[in-house]
C-alpha cells in the first residue's frame, strides 16, 4: 500500500535553472536585462535573521525608549505631572500642611521621629577587603547599587556576631543620622519625607524636628551598650524642650520603633547603670503625646514565619512560581538560606514575636477574631451576613470558621480539624538526628541551626502538627536554640501576674506592654494609629520541604486554598484585618482596652485613643502610592493621618481631633480577651 501511495503522489517539478550568458549574467526570456529575484530567494534571505539579531534589536529599542523618557522627564516643567493628573482626575486637594496653614496652625511642640526596621538607613564605617570603596556608603536604604555587585559581601557586613549580637570583628555598620536617615528608603520611595514636608508648611524646621535613628538590627538595650543611642535620645528631647519654651515633645514612632520607644520610656526612668536615671516623672515633664503608627504592640505572626522558614506570603508565592531562583543548589544561589543566616543574627526581629500567648491570640479552638469575614467589601453585622439568593429570597450566610489560634499547622487538614481529632507527638524532648550537611563545606558557608537539627528533629517538629502562640515560642527554641537563647536575654513574651515583682525591673520586659507599666504620666496621651481593610497574615499552613543538603526543611504550603474566593485562606496563609503587616489585634488592643482608663498596665491613667484609617488604594497610576492608603509604610503619606499628627503637634488633644475613629471590630475582639486588668 505504501508503494502505491508513493506512485500516486505527483512529482514536484524543479524550477529550471536560470539561463546565463557567457559572461555569467542572468537574462530574461527576451534578453532585456536581469531577471528579478524569486520569492523563494527572498524568503531564504529573510530566514537568516538570527536570535542574536532579535535580542540586539529588542535591547536597542528598550534603551532608546528609556533615554527618550528620561530626556522628557528632565525637560518637562516640574508642574507638568500635576497638570496631567488634575486634567484626568480633577483638582487635587491641598496637602494637609497647606490646608492647616490656611487655618492658622503654627508649629508648637517639637517633634521626634522614631523609625522602624525598614525605614532607618545604615552605613559602613569599617569592613573587610571585599567592601573596599564602601566607606560611609549605605548598606541599607539608598540605591543599593554596590550591593548588586557583591551580594555575599553585603550579607557578611549586614550580619551581626552570632554569639554576642554585636559587631563582627573588623566590621562597623552604623545608623545614618539626621532627617535624611529615613525620609526616603530608596530614591522615589518615601517614608517620612511627606510628613516632614507637611510639618514644614506650618513652621517646623531642623531644630524642631529630630530623627531618633538607631541600629534596628540590635536588641534595644544593646543600642545603648554600643552606641549610647538611648542616652542621645534623652539628651536631644531635653534640649528640644528647653529651647522651645518648655513645650513638651510629640513623639511619632513607626512599626518596630513603637516597641523601641516603649523600651525607652522605661529605660529613661530606671536608675543607672541599667537605665537612664531620669526619675519617675521624666516622661510627664518632657512628653506631650506618643503617636504610634502601625505599632506591633503584641507582635506579628509574620515574625514567626520569617524566623522559622525565612519567608512570608509574598516570598512563598515567589518560591512556588520560580523555585530555582530562591532555592537552587545547582546555581549556587541559595538566597533564602543566606537571608536566614543574616536575619537570625538580628536580635531586634525577636521583639516582634507574638506576645501574650493563647490568652491574646487564641488556642486550638478559639481566637478573638472568630466570625470574621474576609470579603474585600462586605455588609457588616455582628456574626452573620444576610444576602439574596437567585430567587431574591433572603438567605443567612454564616462566616467561614477559622482557627486563627493555630499559628502554624502542618497541613490544611490539621488547620481545619477539630482539636479532639488531632493526634500530636511531643517534640520538646525529641532527640535531634545527625545531618550529613554538618560536614559539608558549602553548608557551613550558609550556616543555620537547621544543620544541627537533623532528620530526627525535623520529623519531630512536623509530628507535633499544630502550634499556638504559646507553643510557637518552644518551637523556635527547638529549631534555633542559640538564636532564642541570645534573644531571651533581651525580650519576653508572657503576661505578668504581679507587675510589682522586682524581676520586671529588668530591661528584657520593657518592650512587652503586658509585662511592664506605662510611665507615671497622667497628662501624656497615647495614640494608636494604623490602617485597616487590607488582608494581613495571621496564621500559616506548612509542609515539609523536599530533602536536600543545605536546605530549609519547612516551607509554607502555597497549594492550601480556601473553598471559595471569599475564603480567608490564600496560598497557605490565613488572612485577617490589618495593614498588610500588623493585624488589628496587635495594633489596637492595648489602646482599646489594655491601657484604657486606669489599669494595672496604666496605673497613672494616661489617656489612650484608637485612630484607624480605612485603606483606599489609588484609583490610577498617576496617584503614586495614594493619599488614602492604609498599608504599613504607605500610610505615612495618608493625608488624614498627616492632618491628625499636625494638629496634635500644633497643640490639639485627642478629644479635639475627634477621639476614637474605628472601622474594625477591635473593641468587640478586645472584650473577648479574658485578661486581668
Amino acid at each position: 500500500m505504501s508503494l502505491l501511495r508513493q506512485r500516486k503522489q505527483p512529482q514536484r517539478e524543479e524550477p529550471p535553472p536560470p539561463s546565463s550568458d557567457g559572461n555569467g549574467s542572468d537574462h530574461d526570456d527576451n534578453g532585456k536585462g536581469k531577471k528579478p529575484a524569486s520569492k523563494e530567494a527572498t524568503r531564504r534571505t529573510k530566514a537568516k535573521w538570527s536570535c542574536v539579531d532579535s535580542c540586539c534589536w529588542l535591547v536597542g529599542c528598550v534603551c532608546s525608549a528609556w533615554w527618550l523618557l528620561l530626556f522628557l522627564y528632565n525637560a518637562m516643567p516640574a508642574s507638568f505631572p500635576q497638570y496631567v493628573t488634575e486634567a484626568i482626575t480633577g483638582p487635587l486637594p491641598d496637602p494637609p500642611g497647606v490646608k492647616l496653614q490656611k487655618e492658622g496652625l503654627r508649629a508648637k511642640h517639637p517633634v521626634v521621629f522614631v523609625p522602624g526596621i525598614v525605614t532607618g538607613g545604615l552605613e559602613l564605617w569599617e569592613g573587610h577587603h571585599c567592601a573596599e570603596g564602601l566607606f560611609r556608603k549605605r548598606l541599607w536604604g539608598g540605591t543599593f547599587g554596590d550591593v548588586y555587585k557583591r551580594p555575599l559581601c553585603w550579607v557578611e557586613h549586614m550580619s551581626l556576631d552570632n554569639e554576642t549580637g554585636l559587631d563582627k570583628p573588623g566590621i562597623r555598620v552604623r545608623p545614618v543620622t539626621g532627617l535624611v536617615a529615613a525620609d526616603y528608603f530608596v530614591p522615589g520611595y518615601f517614608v517620612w519625607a511627606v510628613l516632614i514636608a507637611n510639618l514644614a508648611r506650618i513652621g517646623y524646621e531642623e531644630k524642631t524636628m529630630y530623627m531618633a535613628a538607631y541600629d534596628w538590627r540590635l536588641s534595644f538595650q544593646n543600642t545603648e551598650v554600643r552606641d549610647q543611642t538611648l542616652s542621645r535620645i534623652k539628651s536631644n528631647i531635653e534640649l528640644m524642650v528647653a529651647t522651645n519654651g518648655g513645650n513638651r515633645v510629640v513623639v511619632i514612632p513607626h512599626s518596630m520603633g513603637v516597641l523601641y520607644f516603649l523600651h525607652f520610656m522605661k529605660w529613661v526612668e530606671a536608675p543607672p547603670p541599667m537605665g537612664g536615671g531620669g526619675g519617675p516623672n521624666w516622661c510627664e515633664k518632657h512628653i506631650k503625646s506618643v503617636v504610634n503608627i502601625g505599632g506591633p504592640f503584641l507582635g506579628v505572626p509574620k515574625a514567626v514565619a520569617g524566623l522559622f522558614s525565612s519567608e512570608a506570603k509574598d516570598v512563598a508565592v515567589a518560591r512556588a512560581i520560580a523555585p530555582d531562583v530562591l532555592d537552587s543548589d545547582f546555581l549556587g544561589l541559595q538566597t533564602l538560606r543566606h537571608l536566614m543566616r543574616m536575619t537570625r543574627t538580628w536580635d531586634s526581629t525577636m521583639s516582634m514575636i507574638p506576645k501574650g500567648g493563647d490568652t491574646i491570640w487564641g488556642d486550638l479552638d478559639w481566637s478573638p477574631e472568630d466570625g470574621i469575614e474576609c470579603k474585600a467589601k462586605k455588609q457588616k453585622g455582628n456574626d452573620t451576613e444576610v444576602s439574596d439568593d437567585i430567587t431574591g429570597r433572603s438567605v443567612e450566610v454564616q462566616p467561614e470558621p477559622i482557627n486563627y489560634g493555630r499559628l502554624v499547622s502542618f497541613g490544611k487538614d490539621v488547620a481545619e480539624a477539630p482539636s479532639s481529632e488531632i493526634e500530636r507527638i511531643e517534640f520538646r524532648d525529641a532527640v535531634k538526628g545527625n545531618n550529613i550537611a554538618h560536614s559539608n563545606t558549602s553548608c557551613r558557608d550558609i550556616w543555620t541551626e537547621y544543620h544541627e537539627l537533623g532528620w530526627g528533629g525535623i520529623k519531630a517538629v512536623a509530628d507535633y502538627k499544630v502550634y499556638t502562640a504559646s507553643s510557637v515560642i518552644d518551637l523556635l527554641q527547638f529549631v534555633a536554640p542559640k538564636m532564642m537563647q541570645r534573644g531571651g536575654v533581651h525580650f519576653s513574651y508572657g503576661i505578668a501576674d504581679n507587675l510589682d515583682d522586682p524581676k520586671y525591673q529588668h530591661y528584657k520586659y520593657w518592650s512587652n506592654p503586658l509585662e511592664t507599666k506605662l510611665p507615671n504620666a497622667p497628662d501624656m496621651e497615647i495614640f494608636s494609629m494604623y490602617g485597616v481593610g487590607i488582608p494581613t497574615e495571621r496564621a500559616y499552613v506548612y509542609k515539609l520541604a523536599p530533602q536536600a543538603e543545605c536546605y530549609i526543611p519547612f516551607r509554607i504550603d502555597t497549594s492550601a486554598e480556601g473553598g471559595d474566593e471569599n475564603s480567608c485562606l490564600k496560598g497557605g496563609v490565613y488572612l485577617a484585618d490589618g495593614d498588610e503587616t500588623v493585624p488589628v489585634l496587635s495594633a489596637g488592643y492595648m489602646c482599646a482596652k489594655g491601657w484604657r482608663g486606669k489599669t494595672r498596665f496604666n496605673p497613672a491613667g494616661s489617656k489612650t485613643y484608637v485612630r484607624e484609617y480605612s485603606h483606599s488604594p489609588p484609583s490610577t497610576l498617576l496617584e503614586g502610592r495614594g493619599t488614602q492608603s492604609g498599608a504599613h509604610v504607605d500610610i505615612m503619606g495618608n493625608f488624614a493621618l498627616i492632618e491628625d499628627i499636625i494638629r496634635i503637634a500644633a497643640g490639639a488633644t485627642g478629644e479635639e481631633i475627634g477621639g476614637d475613629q474605628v472601622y474594625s471590630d477591635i473593641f468587640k475582639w478586645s472584650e473577648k480577651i479574658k485578661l486581668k486588668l
Side-chain angles (χ1 to χ4, degrees):
M1 292 297 291
S2 61
L3 291 174
L4 290 175
R5 289 195 191 99
Q6 291 178 3
R7 290 174 182 175
K8 290 180 180 180
Q9 290 177 355
Q11 297 292 327
R12 183 177 296 175
E13 295 183 3
E14 295 291 335
S19 60
S20 58
D21 57 11
N23 297 327
S25 59
D26 293 336
H27 293 273
D28 61 8
D29 293 341
N30 298 325
K32 294 182 180 180
K34 284 187 176 182
K35 182 180 178 181
S38 67
K39 293 183 179 179
E40 183 69 22
T42 304
R43 193 182 306 112
R44 288 175 181 174
T45 303
K46 290 183 177 179
K48 292 180 180 179
W49 184 268
S50 67
C51 182
V52 174
D53 297 323
S54 300
C55 292
C56 293
W57 179 83
L58 179 61
V59 170
C61 289
V62 171
C63 291
S64 300
W66 170 257
W67 285 111
L68 177 62
L69 292 172
L70 187 64
F71 170 77
L72 293 175
Y73 177 79
N74 288 287
M76 72 174 63
S79 60
F80 184 73
Q82 182 178 347
Y83 172 79
V84 174
T85 303
E86 290 185 351
I88 296 174
T89 63
L92 297 176
D94 285 336
V98 174
K99 173 185 173 182
L100 298 180
Q101 181 191 37
K102 292 177 181 178
E103 292 183 13
L105 268 67
R106 295 293 179 267
K108 182 177 180 181
H109 295 275
V111 173
V112 177
F113 308 111
V114 186
I117 194 168
V118 170
T119 52
L122 300 174
E123 60 187 15
L124 182 69
W125 281 83
E126 180 185 1
H128 295 161
H129 180 72
C130 67
E132 190 70 31
L134 295 183
F135 176 68
R136 294 202 66 198
K137 296 287 183 67
R138 289 200 182 196
L139 296 186
W140 186 266
T143 61
F144 288 96
D146 291 297
V147 172
Y148 302 140
K149 303 174 186 176
R150 31 191 154 180
L152 294 182
C153 183
W154 176 78
V155 169
E156 180 68 18
H157 285 75
M158 282 295 294
S159 301
L160 295 170
D161 187 274
N162 208 46
E163 299 295 332
T164 65
L166 296 169
D167 293 321
K168 288 184 174 182
I171 294 177
R172 280 186 296 150
V173 176
R174 297 293 181 264
V176 179
T177 58
L179 295 178
V180 297
D183 53 353
Y184 289 91
F185 178 59
V186 294
Y189 189 87
F190 71 82
V191 184
W192 295 91
V194 177
L195 178 57
I196 291 171
N198 279 278
L199 284 166
R201 294 279 191 177
I202 66 167
Y204 280 91
E205 51 187 311
E206 190 87 26
K207 66 181 181 182
T208 50
M209 292 189 288
Y210 166 59
M211 183 71 70
Y214 61 99
D215 190 337
W216 44 262
R217 301 172 303 161
L218 301 175
S219 69
F220 301 156
Q221 191 69 8
N222 272 346
T223 63
E224 175 66 14
V225 171
R226 196 193 72 179
D227 301 332
Q228 294 75 55
T229 304
L230 298 173
S231 294
R232 295 172 190 272
I233 295 174
K234 175 177 180 284
S235 298
N236 275 284
I237 290 177
E238 290 172 347
L239 178 63
M240 294 174 82
V241 172
T243 56
N244 283 276
N247 288 319
R248 297 176 297 162
V249 300
V250 171
V251 184
I252 310 173
H254 173 248
S255 189
M256 194 182 74
V258 169
L259 302 178
Y260 186 70
F261 197 74
L262 258 179
H263 181 96
F264 170 83
M265 287 193 293
K266 295 302 294 183
W267 172 89
V268 75
E269 292 184 341
M274 189 181 295
N281 297 318
W282 190 93
C283 291
E284 175 73 3
K285 293 177 180 177
H286 295 90
I287 303 175
K288 173 194 180 285
S289 304
V290 183
V291 183
N292 302 291
I293 303 175
F297 290 101
L298 301 177
V300 289
K302 208 170 187 175
V304 174
L307 293 170
F308 185 50
S309 60
S310 195
E311 61 184 339
K313 184 176 185 294
D314 295 338
V315 175
V317 171
R319 181 159 65 177
I321 295 173
D324 289 340
V325 175
L326 296 177
D327 291 311
S328 174
D329 288 320
F330 174 73
L331 297 176
L333 297 176
Q334 302 167 339
T335 307
L336 286 181
R337 277 147 286 184
H338 285 298
L339 182 64
M340 175 176 282
R341 176 169 67 94
M342 177 177 66
T343 56
R344 280 194 175 181
T345 67
W346 298 348
D347 288 351
S348 63
T349 58
M350 286 178 274
S351 71
M352 293 190 289
I353 294 174
K355 304 174 178 69
D358 298 354
T359 302
I360 298 293
W361 296 92
D363 55 25
L364 296 181
D365 300 306
W366 167 88
S367 67
E369 302 102 321
D370 283 347
I372 191 174
E373 302 170 27
C374 293
K375 295 181 180 179
K377 293 184 179 179
K378 60 187 180 181
Q379 294 177 333
K380 291 183 63 177
N382 289 333
D383 296 304
T384 61
E385 174 197 353
V386 176
S387 61
D388 293 334
D389 67 2
I390 56 175
T391 63
R393 293 176 298 178
S394 179
V395 178
E396 190 177 79
V397 180
Q398 295 291 339
E400 175 188 8
I402 306 164
N403 298 314
Y404 280 130
R406 306 178 188 187
L407 290 187
V408 173
S409 303
F410 277 87
K412 181 185 174 184
D413 56 335
V414 174
E416 297 176 345
S419 59
S420 59
E421 297 179 6
I422 302 175
E423 297 181 3
R424 297 193 285 177
I425 301 174
E426 183 58 53
F427 73 96
R428 294 172 179 86
D429 299 322
V431 177
K432 298 180 180 181
N434 294 322
N435 192 332
I436 58 173
H438 217 37
S439 59
N440 188 303
T441 303
S442 64
C443 292
R444 288 200 299 268
D445 291 340
I446 53 170
W447 177 89
T448 67
E449 293 185 69
Y450 279 133
H451 300 154
E452 300 174 2
L453 192 60
W455 311 129
I458 292 169
K459 186 177 183 301
V461 168
D463 286 344
Y464 194 70
K465 295 185 179 179
V466 60
Y467 297 83
T468 64
S470 294
S471 55
V472 82
I473 306 297
D474 297 329
L475 169 65
L476 293 174
Q477 289 173 342
F478 184 77
V479 300
K482 293 180 181 178
M483 177 191 76
M484 292 298 288
Q485 182 181 6
R486 202 177 61 243
V489 176
H490 296 278
F491 303 107
S492 66
Y493 313 104
I495 300 174
D497 293 325
N498 178 15
L499 286 167
D500 294 322
D501 190 321
K503 77 173 186 178
Y504 292 111
Q505 296 175 11
H506 192 273
Y507 60 76
K508 70 177 288 184
Y509 301 102
W510 291 347
S511 62
N512 182 355
L514 300 176
E515 293 187 300
T516 191
K517 299 177 184 178
L518 284 178
N520 181 31
D523 292 333
M524 181 182 74
E525 295 184 323
I526 300 177
F527 296 83
S528 184
M529 298 182 172
Y530 55 89
V532 296
I534 307 179
T536 303
E537 296 172 42
R538 179 65 170 80
Y540 300 89
V541 177
Y542 268 85
K543 66 179 181 180
L544 288 176
Q547 293 184 359
E549 292 186 10
C550 312
Y551 79 124
I552 298 174
F554 311 109
R555 64 176 57 177
I556 295 173
D557 185 1
T558 53
S559 66
E561 295 283 348
D564 55 54
E565 61 180 8
N566 295 321
S567 172
C568 295
L569 177 61
K570 302 287 185 183
V573 180
Y574 281 101
L575 304 170
D577 195 6
D579 67 0
E580 205 170 31
T581 296
V582 183
V584 167
L585 187 66
S586 178
Y589 173 77
M590 292 309 298
C591 281
K593 186 177 181 184
W595 289 330
R596 184 62 59 108
K598 283 192 176 185
T599 69
R600 65 190 183 107
F601 303 110
N602 180 17
S606 299
K607 292 184 178 179
T608 63
Y609 301 93
V610 177
R611 301 283 294 177
E612 295 182 344
Y613 302 87
S614 184
H615 175 70
S616 180
S619 56
T620 67
L621 292 175
L622 295 172
E623 293 184 29
R625 290 154 64 193
T627 60
Q628 300 179 60
S629 176
H632 188 62
V633 177
D634 293 354
I635 197 174
M636 305 289 280
N638 185 300
F639 276 14
L641 176 136
I642 293 173
E643 182 174 333
D644 286 345
I645 291 175
I646 294 177
R647 291 188 184 278
I648 294 168
T653 65
E655 292 297 330
E656 289 171 343
I657 68 168
D660 294 325
Q661 174 181 279
V662 176
Y663 300 98
S664 72
D665 291 323
I666 182 59
F667 287 111
K668 174 183 172 183
W669 297 338
S670 297
E671 290 301 319
K672 292 182 179 180
I673 296 175
K674 305 305 179 185
L675 178 64
K676 176 186 173 185
L677 297 177

